[in-house]
Amino acid sequence: MAAYRYCEAVTGMQARNFSYGIRLLPEPKRLAMSALYALARRVDDIGDGDLPPERKAELLGRTRALLDEVRAGEVHEDDTDPIKVALADAAERFPVPVDAFDELIDGVEMDLRGAEYATFEDLRTYCRCVAGSIGRLSLGVFGCTDPKLGAEYADTLGLALQLTNILRDLREDAANGRTYLPAEDLARFGCESGFDTARPPAGADFTGLVAFEAARAQRYFEEGLLLLPMLDRRSRACTAAMAGIYHRLLQRIAAEPESVLRGRVSLPGWEKAYVALSGLAGGRS
C-alpha cells in the first residue's frame, strides 16, 4: 500500500534510533510501526517547528480530529493524507490504543505552554505523555502475554528512554528556552542557572547531577526491560534493540557528563546495527 510506503520513507529518513529496531519485525508489524512513527513524528514536528503558537495549536487540533476519524472508522483508502490512511489500516489490523496519541499531543501542548517541572513526579507525568504513550502504542502492535502488566512496563521503559533524551539534549533544549530536569534536582546540585554554555554552571556539581539522573534512568531501564519475556521473539528483538541503543547512550553520558554540553551525544551506525543484531540474537545490550 502506497500509504505505508510513505510512512516507511518518513521513518527511514527521520528515525535515527527507532528504525534499527523495527527492521527486525515481520512486514505487517513493521508497516504498522512505521505508521505509528510517522504520526508521532508529525506531532513532534508541530511542537518543535517555527510556527507561531496559535498555528501550532490549530495543527494539533486537526491531529486530534484525525484521530477521531480513525476511531470512528471514517478514513477512506483514497484519502489524501497517507499517514491517516496507514494508521487507520494499522488500527484495523492490530489493537492499537489510538487514545495514546491524544496523550502524546497533551505532552506537546505542555511544551507549548512552557511547562516547567518542580518535582520528578511532575516530570514523570510529562514523560508518560510523550514517551510512555509510544510504548503503549507499540505494545498494541507487538502483542503481549500480559497486556495490563506489559503496559506498565512499557510506560516505565518509555520513562527510561525519555530521561536519556533529556540528558542528551540538555544544551539544545536550553538554547530553545526549555528545561526539563526537575527544579528540585537542579537546586540540589547547584545547577539552577541552566545549561547555556559548553561548560557547567560555575560552582555547580554538574557531574553529580548527571550521575543522579543517569542512575534514576538506569533503574527504570532495569524495570522496563522486564517487558521482554512477555513479547514474541521478533517483537522482543525490536524492543531490545531500541532500548539497547538508548541504554548505550546513557552509559556514554554517565561516563563523560560534560559531553552533553558540547553537542549531541550519539552512537555510530555500526554500533547501532550491532545492538540491533544482539537483540535479534536474544541479547539485552
Side-chain angles (χ1 to χ4, degrees), residues 14 36 61 74 88 98 143 177 208 273:
Q14 300 192 44
L36 298 184
E74 297 175 349
V98 176

Side-chain angles (χ1 to χ4, degrees), residues 23-206:
R23 291 174 190 172
L24 305 177
L25 295 170
E27 184 178 49
K29 291 185 177 183
R30 187 180 72 249
L31 294 176
M33 289 295 290
S34 294
L36 298 184
Y37 176 83
L39 184 59
R41 180 77 264 167
R42 176 182 290 179
V43 173
D44 283 345
D45 285 347
I46 292 170
D48 292 338
D50 297 327
L51 296 171
E54 58 273 16
R55 177 59 175 161
K56 290 183 178 183
E58 177 189 348
L59 293 175
L60 292 175
R62 290 186 182 182
T63 307
R64 290 192 191 275
L66 178 157
L67 296 173
D68 288 338
E69 290 183 59
V70 172
R71 281 185 284 255
E74 297 175 349
V75 180
H76 302 288
E77 285 192 13
D78 58 354
D79 193 287
T80 56
D81 184 344
I83 295 177
K84 184 199 300 186
V85 173
L87 178 63
D89 187 76
E92 287 186 3
R93 295 173 184 271
F94 299 97
V96 175
V98 176
D99 292 353
F101 274 116
D102 287 293
E103 293 183 66
L104 175 61
I105 295 172
D106 290 342
V108 172
E109 288 176 339
M110 292 170 72
D111 282 336
L112 296 186
R113 294 195 300 270
E116 297 181 349
Y117 308 98
T119 68
F120 177 68
E121 284 307 309
D122 295 335
L123 178 61
R124 186 175 187 140
T125 298
Y126 170 79
C127 291
R128 175 182 169 82
C129 288
V130 299
S133 59
I134 304 302
R136 282 174 273 118
L137 286 161
S138 301
L139 207 60
V141 174
F142 295 158
C144 182
T145 58
D146 186 338
K148 182 177 180 181
L149 183 57
E152 293 177 8
Y153 286 145
D155 253 352
T156 302
L157 190 56
L159 179 55
L161 270 58
Q162 189 62 27
L163 287 174
T164 303
N165 268 338
I166 288 170
L167 287 174
R168 181 194 64 186
D169 297 341
L170 274 182
R171 181 76 184 279
E172 181 180 330
D173 289 334
N176 291 323
R178 295 178 182 173
T179 300
Y180 290 99
L181 291 180
E184 62 182 6
D185 296 350
L186 298 177
R188 177 179 176 181
F189 294 96
C191 294
E192 302 99 313
S193 61
F195 311 104
D196 293 325
T197 69
R199 297 179 63 84
D205 182 10
F206 181 74

Side-chain angles (χ1 to χ4, degrees), residues 178-232:
R178 295 178 182 173
T179 300
Y180 290 99
L181 291 180
E184 62 182 6
D185 296 350
L186 298 177
R188 177 179 176 181
F189 294 96
C191 294
E192 302 99 313
S193 61
F195 311 104
D196 293 325
T197 69
R199 297 179 63 84
D205 182 10
F206 181 74
T207 297
L209 173 68
V210 173
F212 178 77
E213 303 296 351
R216 172 182 274 160
Q218 175 64 31
R219 291 194 296 273
Y220 287 121
F221 268 115
E222 291 171 1
E223 181 180 348
L225 287 171
L226 294 175
L227 172 65
L228 295 182
M230 300 180 180
L231 307 177
D232 65 63

